[in-house]
Amino acid sequence: MDSGEKRLNELRYKQELSREMTMFKTLALTFSSMAVFMGTPLYGVSLLYAGSASLIWGWVIVTFFTWFVGHAMAEICSSFPTTCSLYFWAAHLAGPRRGPLASWCCAWLETIGLVSGIGAQAYSGAQALQIIILLSTGTNTGRGYFTSRSILLCMYIGLTLVWVVLNTFALRVIAHLGIISICWQVLGGLVVIIGLPLVASPTQSASYVFTHFEMSLELTGVNSKPYAVILSVLLSKYCLYGYDTVAHLTEETKGADRTGSTAILSSIDIITVFGWAYNLGLTFSIKDPNYLYDPKNETAGALVPT
């Protein structure tokens, strides 16, 4: 008997789903949910609100506190490797009196988070496709095709429907796509981290990257420094919120009482280092910050960076 299933029997929880996921497949899916590349459309906006220092150091601060939440979740995941994950945890940890209310609140908060999170990732993916099409057809300066809002909306809906079908009928396909995704993002990210600063030579100075603070009141309409800083760290939070994916897959993962917690901590660890290095590579490679937002540039100022 699988150790995860044995733990479920101790909790008097009936095993319903087949355990087809290995730890690496679970880690790959979690890494994809926390995808650094999917947060790229927020990079330009975050840089615009408060400058590079807030973006770079904001990542460090967010990851620091994320580790506390991740360790707590990993500990609970190893004790309650159930497919109901967060709802089941809330019900048991809150006790028989407050359990139903805690589980109900957790379920609704999770639903709101999933709807908004999936919608945000689909919109981010549609934006990326929009710019890929523009660059592939000649760029903005070369009369390339920049999709209209209606086409962008269709791409957004299309991505969402594809995800619905895959998640409903093709778990094995998703697992393989997750493996392709983690390999693609790590290799592609390393190319950006190492290659982009070399191509962009000369690069920005370290003082610009780590200490430059600048608000863009005329473009953002934000005149409060604390509020601008909060908005600038949205990139960090967006890229670091998907590690609970493991919790939803524990009943489908082999040895989930061990592999679940390992996957949670490993995914946070990888994204912490990889994501910060990726943002540093992008920021060091900026030659003219004002040109990034120029509507006459190659991407029509629509997405920074591409």
Side-chain angles (χ1 to χ4, degrees):
M1 179 183 291
D2 182 89
S3 59
E5 185 176 354
K6 182 179 179 181
R7 176 57 183 157
L8 291 184
N9 291 338
E10 294 173 357
L11 295 170
R12 297 181 180 180
Y13 185 98
K14 184 181 178 182
Q15 173 80 30
E16 298 286 351
L17 304 175
S18 59
R19 296 186 180 274
E20 300 177 352
M21 304 288 288
T22 62
M23 193 198 78
F24 183 70
K25 290 180 179 179
T26 304
L27 173 62
L29 286 177
T30 305
F31 183 88
S32 299
S33 298
M34 301 174 70
V36 175
F37 286 174
M38 290 302 293
T40 301
L42 280 175
Y43 175 89
V45 179
S46 299
L47 186 68
L48 189 64
Y49 276 120
S52 56
S54 180
L55 186 151
I56 296 300
W57 293 116
W59 183 277
V60 176
I61 294 171
V62 171
T63 53
F64 175 77
F65 288 104
T66 298
W67 267 104
F68 287 97
V69 180
H71 274 85
M73 184 173 289
E75 180 67 26
I76 299 173
C77 185
S78 65
S79 300
F80 300 97
T82 63
T83 192
C84 296
S85 62
L86 308 182
Y87 335 120
F88 186 85
W89 300 351
H92 275 255
L93 295 175
R97 290 186 59 188
R98 298 183 178 85
L101 176 61
S103 185
W104 183 85
C105 292
C106 181
W108 272 109
L109 289 173
E110 179 72 10
T111 301
I112 295 171
L114 286 174
V115 170
S116 58
I118 292 172
Q121 289 206 349
Y123 184 71
S124 177
Q127 278 188 312
L129 287 175
Q130 181 186 48
I131 300 304
I132 289 172
I133 293 172
L134 174 62
L135 296 179
S136 300
T137 55
T139 76
N140 182 52
T141 57
R143 297 184 179 182
Y145 177 67
F146 189 76
T147 59
S148 63
R149 292 184 178 180
S150 58
I151 299 298
L152 179 67
L153 177 61
C154 290
M155 291 191 295
Y156 167 83
I157 295 174
L159 286 174
T160 306
L161 292 177
V162 169
W163 295 346
V164 169
V165 173
L166 288 176
N167 279 278
T168 304
F169 303 107
L171 179 62
R172 292 184 179 180
V173 175
I174 292 177
H176 291 298
L177 288 176
I179 294 175
I180 296 173
S181 174
I182 190 173
C183 295
W184 177 264
Q185 292 190 73
V186 169
L187 294 176
L190 288 175
V191 171
V192 173
I193 294 168
I194 299 172
L196 188 59
L198 295 176
V199 175
S201 181
T203 60
Q204 287 288 346
S205 64
S207 61
Y208 172 83
V209 174
F210 294 106
T211 64
H212 181 72
F213 180 89
E214 181 182 5
M215 295 173 59
S216 302
L217 177 61
E218 65 282 358
L219 294 177
T220 64
V222 177
N223 56 9
S224 169
K225 289 184 179 180
Y227 186 48
V229 171
I230 291 173
L231 291 175
S232 71
V233 300
L234 287 177
L235 169 67
S236 306
K237 190 65 190 78
Y238 179 75
C239 294
L240 286 160
Y241 79 95
Y243 52 89
D244 65 316
T245 301
V246 177
H248 300 285
L249 296 170
T250 48
E251 193 174 326
E252 301 169 81
T253 304
K254 299 175 183 177
D257 55 320
R258 302 185 313 277
T259 57
S261 56
T262 303
I264 290 175
L265 298 179
S266 298
S267 60
I268 297 176
D269 188 17
I270 295 172
I271 292 293
T272 296
V273 178
F274 183 77
W276 200 55
Y278 177 71
N279 289 329
L280 284 174
L282 294 178
T283 309
F284 269 110
S285 302
I286 296 174
K287 290 189 174 182
D288 182 4
N290 294 324
Y291 183 72
L292 296 177
Y293 307 96
D294 188 348
K296 296 181 180 180
N297 68 15
E298 286 79 359
T299 62
L303 180 60
V304 184
T306 298

